[in-house]
């Protein structure tokens, strides 16, 4: 393979083998976070169709939603629009023993809101000035803040958009906002560059992941999270099932006769 030629996309079998190993480690991390009452925020940002949803699914599918809590806020209500911009996000910050995953975050103001004109240039400028200060406050209070940007290429994004248009299982992922963003590639690029320039700080750095190969991106993200949060494996006591009591035994299936079960079509 030539030096600058992109790597071949990862095969499913190799991906699933590595993913399983990482998901075992995520379970160990989960126990450590609970035991140490750690507070963690993981931010996923990136262009539309960059692979954020699939990466979050791979990250969370084998762990407890009580520890790994995904936060994907809808558009703000009229009441929330009158609040401080960051207020509704701060309400979602983790308590001890929680990892909060933001599927898009307060950085909406630096991206879609700025590009689409949903905030004024002054509001955008003020956000970029204040955001590093708010994040430093969170980090100084003991929160581990991990900021991830999934960078998908122009051609790959177009392929993914077209696939969504044709696939009835993925059409729900396409909104008018998504299709509008497709034509504004360079506007989003400039907004991204401004965001990095203002908010890629020592206390809360951005980490970028190439996501043209979704499988490699997911593995790299999970591996980075495991490396960023120091943890130790906690030995768990072996679970033993207590014997079932037969006191008061009766035919508990006969009592279900005549009840309405779902039709067994499969």
């Amino acid at each position: 393979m030539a030096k600058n030629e992109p790597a071949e996309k990862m095969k499913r079998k190799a991906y699933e083998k590595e993913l399983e190993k990482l998901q075992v480690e995520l379970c160990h991390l989960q126990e450590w976070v609970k035991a140490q009452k750690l507070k963690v925020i993981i931010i996923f940002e990136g262009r539309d169709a960059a692979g954020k949803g699939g990466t979050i699914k791979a990250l969370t599918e084998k762990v407890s939603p009580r520890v790994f809590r995904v936060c994907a806020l809808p558009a703000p209500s009229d009441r929330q629009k009158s609040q401080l911009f960051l207020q509704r996000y701060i309400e979602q910050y983790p308590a001890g023993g929680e990892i909060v995953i933001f599927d898009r975050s307060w950085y909406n103001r630096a991206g879609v809101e700025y590009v689409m004109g949903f905030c004024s240039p002054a509001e955008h400028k003020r956000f970029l000035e204040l955001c590093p200060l708010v994040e430093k406050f969170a980090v100084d209070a003991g929160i581990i803040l991990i900021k991830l940007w999934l960078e998908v290429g122009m051609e790959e994004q177009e392929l993914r958009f077209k696939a969504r248009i044709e696939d009835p299982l993925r059409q729900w992922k396409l909104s008018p906002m998504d299709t509008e963003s497709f034509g504004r590639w360079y506007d989003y690029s400039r907004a991204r560059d401004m965001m990095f320039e203002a908010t890629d700080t020592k206390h809360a750095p951005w980490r970028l992941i190439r996501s043209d190969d979704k499988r490699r991106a997911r593995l790299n993200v999970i591996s980075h999270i495991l490396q960023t949060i120091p943890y130790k494996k906690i030995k768990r006591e072996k679970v033993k099932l207590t014997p079932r009591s037969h006191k008061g035994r009766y035919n508990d299936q006969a009592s279900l006769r005549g009840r309405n079960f779902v039709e067994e079509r499969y």
Side-chain angles (χ1 to χ4, degrees), residues 16-242:
E16 290 178 347
K17 181 179 179 181
E18 292 304 314
L19 179 61
E20 184 177 5
K21 294 177 185 177
L22 293 175
Q23 288 178 332
V24 169
E25 292 303 313
L26 285 172
C27 290
H28 292 310
L29 172 63
Q30 173 177 254
E31 296 305 310
W32 182 256
V33 167
K34 288 184 344 188
Q36 299 298 315
K37 301 293 184 185
L38 297 183
K39 293 171 285 187
V40 182
I41 292 175
I42 304 174
I43 290 174
F44 280 88
E45 292 288 346
R47 301 179 191 272
D48 293 315
K52 295 180 291 297
T55 304
I56 292 171
K57 181 179 179 181
L59 173 63
T60 59
E61 67 180 349
K62 300 297 184 181
V63 292
S64 170
R66 296 183 181 87
V67 179
F68 284 75
R69 176 164 58 88
V70 179
C71 180
L73 295 182
S77 65
D78 289 340
R79 181 176 183 275
Q80 288 169 331
K81 288 177 183 177
S82 70
Q83 295 175 340
L84 295 173
F85 173 70
L86 282 166
Q87 188 170 337
R88 73 187 187 120
Y89 294 101
I90 292 174
E91 289 173 353
Q92 301 295 328
Y93 275 21
E98 281 188 335
I99 298 174
V100 175
I101 299 167
F102 280 96
D103 184 358
R104 294 201 180 275
S105 65
W106 46 92
Y107 282 101
N108 274 342
R109 175 135 296 183
V112 63
E113 290 192 15
Y114 174 64
V115 172
M116 303 302 293
F118 297 151
C119 70
S120 68
E123 288 172 326
H124 175 250
K125 181 173 182 291
R126 182 166 176 77
F127 169 80
L128 293 180
E129 292 172 347
L130 294 180
C131 183
L133 302 177
V134 175
E135 291 179 349
K136 190 170 192 314
F137 175 79
V139 171
D140 288 348
I143 291 176
I144 298 172
L145 178 57
I146 300 172
K147 302 191 304 190
L148 303 171
W149 176 273
L150 273 61
E151 180 66 16
V152 66
M154 183 185 289
E155 293 180 1
E156 180 65 21
Q157 187 198 47
E158 183 172 353
L159 289 174
R160 293 179 187 178
F161 268 114
K162 288 180 177 177
R164 290 179 180 183
I165 291 171
E166 300 298 328
D167 187 348
L169 296 177
R170 289 186 284 177
Q171 287 173 356
W172 63 269
K173 291 185 175 184
L174 280 175
S175 69
M177 198 65 61
D178 295 331
T179 53
E180 180 66 25
S181 73
F182 178 80
R184 301 195 182 201
W185 177 271
Y186 292 108
D187 290 341
Y188 274 93
S189 293
R190 293 187 182 92
R192 175 203 62 194
D193 294 344
M194 294 170 66
M195 180 188 77
F196 287 155
E197 185 65 29
T199 64
D200 188 11
T201 59
K202 185 176 181 180
H203 61 270
W206 280 100
R207 291 292 181 263
L208 281 64
I209 301 95
R210 297 264 180 210
S211 65
D212 280 8
D213 185 336
K214 292 180 179 181
R215 292 168 182 164
R216 292 185 192 277
R218 292 167 190 170
L219 297 179
N220 287 328
V221 164
I222 297 173
S223 177
H224 172 71
I225 291 169
L226 291 168
Q227 291 178 344
T228 303
I229 307 172
Y231 69 99
K232 296 178 182 178
K233 294 180 182 178
I234 296 176
K235 189 174 181 180
R236 302 186 66 178
E237 292 184 12
K238 191 171 182 179
V239 177
K240 294 182 180 180
L241 293 176
T242 58

Side-chain angles (χ1 to χ4, degrees), residues 241-249 252:
L241 293 176
T242 58
R244 282 199 174 118
S245 171
H246 292 289
K247 185 179 180 179
R249 182 175 178 176
D252 62 345

